[in-house]
Amino acid sequence: MKRITLFLLSFMAISFGALSQTKYYKEFGKSRIVDQTEFDQIKDVLLHKNKSKPTVNVNLIVVEETRRNDSLVIVYKRQMVMNGGVKINLSGTEKVYEMVGKKFPNFVLRDLEGNAFSSDSLLNAPLVLNFWFNGCRPCKREMPVLNQIKKEYEGKVRFVSITFNSADQVKKVLQDYPFDFYHLVEGKELIDQIGITAYPKTIVIDRNGIVRQVMDCVESMVSENGEVVLGKGDEIRKEIEKIL
């Protein structure tokens, strides 16, 4: 039977005081922090996805712990153990991360008004691409932060969003979640080509079309009072400054 096992490798090192701390979880290579309830949901989803595959164990392995006041942030990796003992690391394995240092592929997509938009028009200018979709809560949550970053770099950097959704679906989302990027739609072929499987993704590209950084959602942090809050996107600003 398929099962998910959480290996608390450093369990013996956790003091009785630490056991009373509020626990949060962060997957290795990603920036999003989740609470215990959402972490349990992640385990359930992993189990469900593997029901149609050969017998495997998906192990969630703790690799790091960071304490702040009454909170404990646990960093974990996902590891699949196949029949015969073959181990495959699943964390940070999206193909899109391999694009850093490479030229972003040419593409032609349509905007919200149905106009064709070619990547050729983005040459000779720094570019920030954001990939999202209408059912992605983390995508919507970071939109105000991305809007602020766009406002700060207006005229210096191009900001474009790409989704596999239709124009009508995007327009409906924008009614409740203002997102000030230039929107391109029905980009599934491009998304599959570059290997994005988890959302959101932000890709920073220099004026020569070279991918300089691939990032997940805006980084979350644990505040001084122990609450998980969304950051201000300073990690994106840092990468933008490198390509100006």
Side-chain angles (χ1 to χ4, degrees), residues 133-167:
F133 68 96
N134 64 346
C136 173
R137 287 185 294 177
C139 300
K140 297 172 182 176
R141 185 168 176 246
E142 72 174 8
M143 286 176 181
V145 176
L146 297 178
N147 287 342
Q148 177 60 36
I149 294 174
K150 177 180 180 295
K151 182 178 180 181
E152 294 173 12
Y153 290 94
E154 195 78 57
K156 299 179 181 179
V157 180
R158 299 288 299 274
F159 292 85
V160 177
S161 85
I162 297 177
T163 178
F164 55 75
N165 290 133
S166 68

Side-chain angles (χ1 to χ4, degrees), residues 1-241:
M1 179 180 293
K2 304 175 183 64
R3 57 191 177 87
I4 295 176
T5 306
L6 175 61
F7 285 106
L8 296 177
L9 297 184
S10 57
F11 177 78
M12 298 302 296
I14 300 177
S15 67
F16 288 105
L19 291 175
S20 64
Q21 291 177 315
T22 301
K23 293 181 181 180
Y24 297 99
Y25 298 85
K26 176 179 179 292
E27 184 173 354
F28 178 82
K30 298 183 179 296
S31 57
R32 187 171 176 234
I33 298 175
V34 301
D35 59 19
Q36 185 68 57
T37 299
E38 192 162 358
F39 181 67
D40 290 340
Q41 293 174 347
I42 290 173
K43 292 190 292 182
D44 290 341
V45 169
L46 285 175
L47 180 61
H48 177 74
K49 284 184 176 180
N50 284 289
K51 284 183 177 179
S52 61
K53 298 179 180 180
T55 301
V56 296
N57 292 326
V58 179
N59 301 324
L60 303 182
I61 304 174
V62 173
V63 295
E64 182 183 345
E65 295 172 355
T66 302
R67 294 177 176 83
R68 173 177 290 184
N69 295 334
D70 294 330
S71 299
L72 178 67
V73 178
I74 299 171
V75 179
Y76 67 92
K77 285 185 176 181
R78 290 180 297 136
Q79 184 183 75
M80 179 181 292
V81 182
M82 305 293 291
N83 288 336
V86 177
K87 298 179 180 179
I88 303 174
N89 289 321
L90 301 178
S91 296
T93 57
E94 283 181 273
K95 178 183 174 183
V96 66
Y97 295 111
E98 300 175 4
M99 293 197 63
V100 175
K102 300 178 182 178
K103 190 174 182 62
F104 196 84
N106 295 328
F107 63 85
V108 177
L109 295 173
R110 295 196 176 275
D111 63 17
L112 293 182
E113 307 307 320
N115 302 309
F117 183 91
S118 171
S119 56
D120 291 340
S121 64
L122 298 173
L123 295 177
N124 302 317
L127 171 67
V128 173
L129 290 179
N130 179 261
F131 292 82
W132 68 288
F133 68 96
N134 64 346
C136 173
R137 287 185 294 177
C139 300
K140 297 172 182 176
R141 185 168 176 246
E142 72 174 8
M143 286 176 181
V145 176
L146 297 178
N147 287 342
Q148 177 60 36
I149 294 174
K150 177 180 180 295
K151 182 178 180 181
E152 294 173 12
Y153 290 94
E154 195 78 57
K156 299 179 181 179
V157 180
R158 299 288 299 274
F159 292 85
V160 177
S161 85
I162 297 177
T163 178
F164 55 75
N165 290 133
S166 68
D168 288 342
Q169 289 173 318
V170 171
K171 290 177 182 178
K172 184 175 181 180
V173 172
L174 296 181
Q175 292 175 2
D176 298 318
Y177 299 91
F179 191 16
D180 299 334
F181 281 38
Y182 183 73
H183 299 288
L184 300 178
V185 299
E186 299 183 358
K188 185 179 185 303
E189 183 175 340
L190 173 64
I191 292 169
D192 290 344
Q193 177 184 354
I194 63 178
I196 291 178
T197 57
Y199 297 82
K201 283 289 184 294
T202 294
I203 299 179
V204 178
I205 302 173
D206 68 20
R207 63 182 69 251
N208 296 313
I210 304 300
V211 175
R212 292 306 175 189
Q213 191 57 270
V214 177
M215 293 174 282
D216 297 298
C217 58
V218 170
E219 291 184 359
S220 300
M221 62 185 70
V222 179
S223 66
E224 292 298 330
N225 61 7
E227 296 180 353
V228 174
V229 297
L230 189 66
K232 298 181 179 179
D234 289 339
E235 68 279 8
I236 299 177
R237 291 181 178 86
K238 179 180 178 180
E239 297 301 327
I240 290 176
E241 290 294 332

